[in-house]
Amino acid sequence: MKIQTHISLKPYNTFGVNTMASKFIEVFSIEELSEILQKYDKIFVLGGGSNLLLTQDITIPVVKINLRGITIDKQDDDFVWITAQAGENWHQFVMYCISQGYGGVENLSLIPGNVGTTPVQNIGAYGVEIKDVLYSCRAMSVTDQHLRDFTAEECQFGYRESVFKKALKGQYVIVSVTFKLTKRNHVLRTSYGAIGQYLANKGIEQPTIQSISEAVIAIRQSKLPDPKELGNSGSFFKNPIIDIATFNRLKEKYTTMPQYSVSDSEVKVPAGWLIEACGLKGYRQGDAGVHKEQALVLVNYGKATGKEIFDLAKYVQQQVLDTFGIRLEMEVNVV
């Protein structure tokens, strides 16, 4: 365990927002986490800081989850059950799985953050979500430090949602996640986004999990800024889901509006397209801005405060609401 006081959280959030933590505690084991939870009534749990917008100083103890390790629980000819501790870097875990020939997470390459936060958000990209590969996750109760294993069904996954963001918010700290991945007969998802076009341009007719991962990485790098170079938290807004009647009405006026089918009665509309259609791509308010290449991403050009970025987000929401009558929901956790 490592305890520090009065430190800046700027290195610990991908927006690079300079807020202060009164107490900063790094835990490296389940036992240390249990000790901290017994000692403090309230804590602020910090993972990779990649889906977070800090708008104020944190006065309660900030607990950084640094549990590490990857283990194979069991395997057969077709599948492997692999557990990663919560503090493992997500992209590095994906790269490890691909190097071992384990399929299922390749479309989730280059997503920032740590393994422990992936079920909370049900992270997803290019047609794959965590719910598609998660077997279970282990979490510690904040109140009595009891360890509980949650099945995928018990996680109650939705679009960028889980039970940990709703009914059990703040009640558990995830300490490890177990994934069920394929060892052969991989289900390759190449139809979403620009993956198929990338593979075609490379002359790849029989893609592998490796080539799909490379495609995803190349596409993300071409569209999304590197948080190490330009502060951001990836996609800031959820893609809104609207009923087909509303979409058809809007389509008459905005003929190029794209959509992805969700059900017989609903479609998903890309939030980035809506923001760009409002003329906000590249828009700035001081050092807070909408990224010039991907309107779904809000960025910190250097010295923006969390409140300034939050104010920009609210402005974007209002513009989309006024133009399309669609209310954008923030994907990033605002504190």
Side-chain angles (χ1 to χ4, degrees):
M1 188 184 305
K2 183 179 180 181
I3 302 177
Q4 302 176 72
T5 57
H6 305 294
I7 73 162
S8 171
L9 292 174
K10 185 175 182 178
Y12 301 101
N13 70 97
T14 59
F15 259 120
V17 171
N18 187 27
T19 59
M20 301 297 294
S22 300
K23 182 171 288 188
F24 186 80
I25 305 170
E26 296 179 78
V27 296
F28 300 89
S29 68
I30 289 178
E31 292 75 19
E32 290 179 352
L33 176 60
S34 177
E35 181 182 338
I36 291 299
L37 291 175
Q38 291 176 56
K39 185 175 182 179
Y40 298 102
D41 291 333
K42 291 184 178 180
I43 64 169
F44 181 86
V45 178
L46 183 64
S50 62
N51 195 54
L52 177 68
L53 177 61
L54 297 169
T55 61
Q56 59 189 323
D57 294 338
I58 309 297
T59 56
I60 60 176
V62 175
V63 179
K64 181 81 166 65
I65 307 298
N66 280 340
L67 283 65
R68 301 291 174 84
I70 299 173
T71 56
I72 303 298
D73 299 324
K74 63 177 181 178
Q75 56 185 313
D76 57 27
D77 291 341
D78 297 308
F79 299 100
V80 60
W81 287 258
I82 182 171
T83 296
Q85 298 301 304
E88 288 289 334
N89 175 271
W90 172 254
H91 179 64
Q92 291 178 8
F93 172 68
V94 172
M95 292 297 97
Y96 170 80
C97 292
I98 292 173
S99 71
Q100 301 300 306
Y102 305 149
V105 292
E106 56 276 0
N107 291 54
L108 303 177
S109 298
L110 209 62
I111 294 179
N114 291 349
V115 168
T117 54
T118 60
V120 178
Q121 191 74 5
N122 185 24
I123 66 168
Y126 299 99
V128 178
E129 294 178 312
I130 280 296
K131 70 177 181 62
D132 301 322
V133 291
L134 182 141
Y135 181 74
S136 65
C137 67
R138 178 164 293 183
M140 180 177 289
S141 168
V142 170
T143 54
D144 62 10
Q145 294 73 59
H146 174 73
L147 288 173
R148 174 181 170 183
D149 290 327
F150 289 82
T151 64
E153 183 178 1
E154 289 171 331
C155 289
Q156 298 178 23
F157 289 124
Y159 174 53
R160 303 296 178 268
E161 294 285 356
S162 73
V163 71
F164 304 109
K165 288 185 70 176
K166 291 186 174 180
L168 297 182
K169 184 176 182 179
Q171 297 182 37
Y172 284 88
V173 179
I174 295 175
V175 297
S176 66
V177 185
T178 300
F179 302 90
K180 181 182 179 182
L181 305 178
T182 53
K183 294 174 63 178
R184 61 182 184 183
N185 301 321
H186 304 302
V187 178
L188 304 179
R189 295 176 172 87
T190 62
S191 60
Y192 201 97
I195 295 177
Q197 187 61 52
Y198 176 91
L199 296 173
N201 291 343
K202 291 289 185 178
I204 300 174
E205 297 180 357
Q206 295 183 324
T208 63
I209 58 174
Q210 178 69 45
S211 61
I212 291 176
S213 173
E214 291 172 354
V216 169
I217 290 171
I219 295 166
R220 290 183 70 90
Q221 287 178 334
S222 70
K223 291 183 177 182
L224 303 175
D226 184 345
K228 296 177 182 177
E229 300 175 0
L230 186 62
N232 74 92
S233 193
S235 300
F236 198 93
F237 301 99
K238 297 180 181 180
N239 292 321
I241 296 174
I242 62 176
D243 62 82
I244 290 180
T246 299
F247 173 77
N248 288 337
R249 175 175 53 81
L250 288 169
K251 184 78 170 180
E252 291 180 3
K253 183 176 181 180
Y254 304 99
T255 57
T256 61
M257 178 183 285
Q259 57 87 14
Y260 301 97
S261 178
V262 173
S263 67
D264 291 339
S265 59
E266 294 179 317
V267 297
K268 184 185 297 182
V269 178
W273 186 93
L274 296 172
I275 297 167
E276 185 173 350
C278 290
L280 294 176
K281 191 175 185 179
Y283 175 78
R284 287 181 66 158
Q285 291 181 355
D287 268 6
V290 179
H291 192 245
K292 61 182 181 180
E293 299 294 338
Q294 172 51 271
L296 189 56
V297 178
L298 301 188
V299 297
N300 178 3
Y301 283 103
K303 296 182 179 180
T305 65
K307 184 181 183 305
E308 289 170 340
I309 296 170
F310 183 56
D311 288 344
L312 172 63
K314 290 190 292 185
Y315 176 78
V316 170
Q317 285 178 313
Q318 190 62 51
Q319 295 301 302
V320 171
L321 181 61
D322 291 346
T323 303
F324 298 101
I326 295 175
R327 190 176 302 276
L328 291 184
E329 186 178 348
M330 297 183 193
E331 182 175 322
V332 170
N333 296 310
V334 180
V335 178

